[in-house]
Amino acid sequence: PEVCCNGKDDDCDGTTDNATACTFTLTYLAGAGGSISGTTPQALHCAMGTEVTAVPDTGYHFVDWSDGSTQNPRSDGTLTADLTVTANFALNTYTLTYLAGANGSISGPTPQTVNHGANGAQVTAVGAGAYVFNQWSDGATQNPRTDTNVTADITVTASFALPAPVVSSFAINSGGATTMPLAVTLNNTATNSPTEYMASESATFSGASWAAYGTEPGFTLSFGVGTRTVYFKARNGKGESPVVSD
């Protein structure tokens, strides 16, 4: 007797195949978060089906088929019964990692796991002692910081710096009322580790330039008799001090 490709006599008469009984249907369905690319349904008669692909939507990824297969694309054939499978998709998740550089710490949850398109939780970069937040390694200066509409992993490091200097004392020649030599010493103290200073007899510092900071730098007064005023300021990587004078 003739038999179907499934190995069985199609209509049990022992002699004749029934093509309809030998044809099976492949059906591919998409769960939430994706779609199917390719032909579905497919009618197969002793043949392999054509390839289909489970295509995730933006922000999703393919997980598996409802029959446990993880093949994607997939094709099926030589069936003995109809086959219906559903592609399963899942929303992407991302990791937000906030790190602290020297002289600071992070307040708030880190790392964080965030769904595609969702917002992270707020974190704050906290300086240690006199240090203050400077910026994040991606250039952002927002602090506290909340990353919104997340679509990728994020890892950033907070940097910290001392605030702008404050010149707490300043005097020419340690406060001497008069001087004969034009060369004088600018005695000063300043907070927050200044790296440079500028001094000038001009309140606008016209023609002056920055020089390496010291607590007793030299300065040459302009020639002539009379009162002289020297203006002084210091700076570090965070900014400039207010101007002082003597």
Side-chain angles (χ1 to χ4, degrees):
E2 294 183 274
V3 293
C4 295
C5 57
N6 63 2
K8 296 188 293 183
D9 183 2
D10 58 76
D11 54 8
C12 301
D13 65 3
T15 59
T16 305
D17 284 336
N18 180 339
T20 300
C22 290
T23 301
F24 303 102
T25 301
L26 282 175
T27 304
Y28 300 99
L29 305 174
S35 60
I36 300 298
S37 174
T39 302
T40 182
Q42 301 177 26
L44 302 187
H45 178 71
C46 301
M48 287 291 295
T50 58
E51 186 175 83
V52 297
T53 302
V55 181
D57 293 340
T58 299
Y60 286 79
H61 61 276
F62 169 75
V63 177
D64 61 10
W65 299 93
S66 55
D67 63 355
S69 173
T70 56
Q71 182 183 7
N72 190 41
R74 77 177 276 172
S75 57
D76 297 277
T78 316
L79 300 179
T80 59
D82 292 341
L83 177 64
T84 297
V85 289
T86 301
N88 298 315
F89 303 91
L91 193 62
N92 293 343
T93 60
Y94 307 105
T95 301
L96 308 182
T97 304
Y98 303 97
L99 305 173
N103 302 304
S105 61
I106 300 297
S107 174
T110 181
Q112 303 175 23
T113 300
V114 179
N115 287 336
H116 179 89
N119 300 337
Q122 179 177 280
V123 296
T124 304
V126 181
Y131 284 82
V132 296
F133 168 75
N134 184 36
Q135 67 175 16
W136 299 97
S137 54
D138 61 357
T141 56
Q142 179 188 10
N143 190 45
R145 168 182 182 143
T146 302
D147 285 288
T148 61
N149 189 28
V150 176
T151 58
D153 293 335
I154 296 175
T155 298
V156 288
T157 301
S159 62
F160 302 89
L162 289 169
V166 174
V167 179
S168 52
S169 68
F170 176 68
I172 299 172
N173 286 347
S174 300
T178 62
T179 179
M180 290 296 291
L182 297 180
V184 297
T185 300
L186 306 180
N187 301 98
N188 72 93
T189 57
T191 64
N192 302 327
S193 301
T195 56
E196 294 179 305
Y197 80 95
M198 184 180 290
S200 176
E201 290 184 43
S202 165
T204 62
F205 293 90
S206 175
S209 58
W210 291 101
Y213 174 78
T215 58
E216 298 179 343
F219 185 81
T220 302
L221 298 171
S222 59
F223 182 78
V225 177
T227 300
R228 300 287 185 272
T229 299
V230 176
Y231 299 90
F232 184 91
K233 61 182 178 179
R235 71 178 181 183
N236 60 16
K238 197 63 178 175
E240 296 182 13
S241 71
V243 176
V244 294
S245 63
D246 185 34

